[in-house]
Amino acid sequence: MIHSEVTAADYRRARRRAFMRGVMSWFRRSDNALLAFDEVRRGIHAQAQREGGYREVPIDHIVGSVGRYRDFDRAFLPRQVQTRDRWERVDHAHIDGTDLPPIDLYKIGETYFVKDGNHRVSVARERGQKFIDAHVIEVSAPAPVDSVEDLLDFIRDQDALGFYEATHIAELRPDARIELTLPGQYEKLLEHIATHQWYLGIEAKREIPYREAVASWYDRIYLPTVEAVRATGALRDFPHRSEADLYLWVTEHHWYLRQEALPKGRDLSELVTEYAEEHSERRPSPLAAIGRIRPPRVRRPAILRRDGSP
């Protein structure tokens, strides 16, 4: 079989796969489309960019395109007949062993978008290639992005994105992942930081820059509570919630019960365990019929320190 027949058969197979994926996506009510770079960049307020150099990029991390997002599906299978000639020429080059130039990509977090080279990505992926050479331009995002799901979550949850933008926590603490499952809760975290900033100023007898307060809040207040949540396994009692949810609920629970600093001799693990035992979502409640029990709401922001002082 000559090359033209091979490439034509390859293209027909790729188109059939694209069609079947489209049908399955329709039945599952899932989104099978490539992401549009400009829409994503606007959605997560990503602006600044810098040269990222040349590198090998995992093909399955390429999730979108600048201009060809309607021509290919999420697996970079061809959806439009006008892709055929170019697709088959690239496939022909693969068969001949011809070196192809690196593609051009934008990088947001750990995801990539094709600026130039959509057909090369499509053919490489169809042929089982795992990595592809690329020239990368890195675009800074205010929030941590590890996957397509992260991108879509931040676009949907502008409160979360606003929190990351206001605090620069992703820059100050790159490992931080602060995710709340209920709406309107990020404002409470900002109140915690503001209160912590005020206490730091009193303690240091000077004005505390906001970025310093954010880092201190994360290191001295938020992270110790989250570590206690992890150590006690309390999240098992709240299967649909997050560590950040437990941080808010446990601290508010503490202030509601005592309206005072954590008594000396009691550690955060004890407080977390107490809250989980009293409010576990796994245990049937007589109030379940009238809705999920929420932690008590208090006016005062919940600020706990390791030494027990407010």
Side-chain angles (χ1 to χ4, degrees), residues 14-253:
R15 287 278 286 144
R16 284 196 299 271
R17 291 184 61 210
F19 173 77
M20 292 307 299
R21 279 175 54 89
V23 171
M24 294 304 296
S25 176
W26 184 85
F27 274 112
R28 294 170 179 169
R29 300 293 189 268
S30 59
D31 188 1
N32 189 36
L34 277 179
L35 300 183
F37 172 72
D38 288 331
E39 293 179 10
V40 169
R41 181 172 59 179
R42 286 193 300 270
I44 65 168
H45 308 169
Q47 297 296 332
Q49 61 186 52
R50 63 184 179 86
E51 178 64 41
Y54 290 89
R55 67 187 73 172
E56 276 193 332
V57 170
I59 290 180
D60 61 2
H61 286 200
I62 303 174
V63 301
S65 175
V66 174
R68 295 279 193 163
Y69 51 88
R70 293 188 180 91
D71 293 348
F72 300 89
D73 70 6
R74 187 71 60 81
F76 267 91
L77 291 166
R79 301 173 66 186
Q80 310 290 344
V81 293
Q82 64 263 29
T83 60
R84 178 171 183 168
D85 290 344
R86 176 63 177 156
W87 199 97
E88 290 187 8
R89 287 198 299 272
V90 173
D91 193 36
H92 192 286
H94 270 262
I95 294 171
D96 280 347
T98 303
D99 288 334
L100 295 171
I103 63 174
D104 292 326
L105 298 175
Y106 286 110
K107 180 177 186 284
I108 300 178
E110 297 303 319
T111 63
Y112 295 85
F113 297 76
V114 180
K115 180 183 179 185
D116 181 62
N118 295 275
H119 295 82
R120 279 168 277 169
V121 173
S122 179
V123 171
R125 184 160 182 161
E126 181 66 7
R127 288 191 161 273
Q129 192 171 316
K130 300 299 183 184
F131 294 86
I132 192 166
D133 292 331
H135 167 241
V136 175
I137 299 171
E138 296 186 350
V139 180
S140 298
V145 173
D146 295 328
S147 65
V148 173
E149 291 72 26
D150 285 342
L151 287 169
L152 298 178
D153 284 347
F154 282 119
I155 290 172
R156 284 189 293 261
D157 192 347
Q158 291 295 298
D159 285 348
L161 189 61
F163 172 81
Y164 276 94
E165 284 186 301
T167 61
H168 298 279
I169 190 70
E171 176 187 344
L172 296 170
R173 296 294 181 266
D175 293 333
R177 293 299 298 240
I178 300 176
E179 301 170 348
L180 295 167
T181 65
L182 296 173
Q185 302 299 294
Y186 284 97
E187 186 65 31
K188 292 183 178 181
L189 295 184
L190 294 175
E191 291 175 3
H192 286 208
I193 294 170
T195 304
H196 183 66
Q197 182 183 22
W198 184 82
Y199 280 123
L200 285 178
I202 297 298
E203 184 180 82
K205 296 182 175 58
R206 64 180 174 87
E207 186 174 343
I208 304 298
Y210 189 69
R211 290 167 67 92
E212 181 181 336
V214 171
S216 176
W217 167 81
Y218 182 81
D219 294 339
R220 297 172 59 181
I221 309 299
Y222 178 80
L223 190 57
T225 305
V226 167
E227 288 174 343
V229 168
R230 295 169 184 167
T232 60
L235 209 55
R236 289 193 298 268
D237 288 295
F238 305 89
H240 306 298
R241 303 305 173 194
S242 68
E243 292 175 342
D245 289 331
L246 264 291
Y247 160 79
L248 272 179
W249 295 356
V250 166
T251 50
E252 290 188 351
H253 171 74

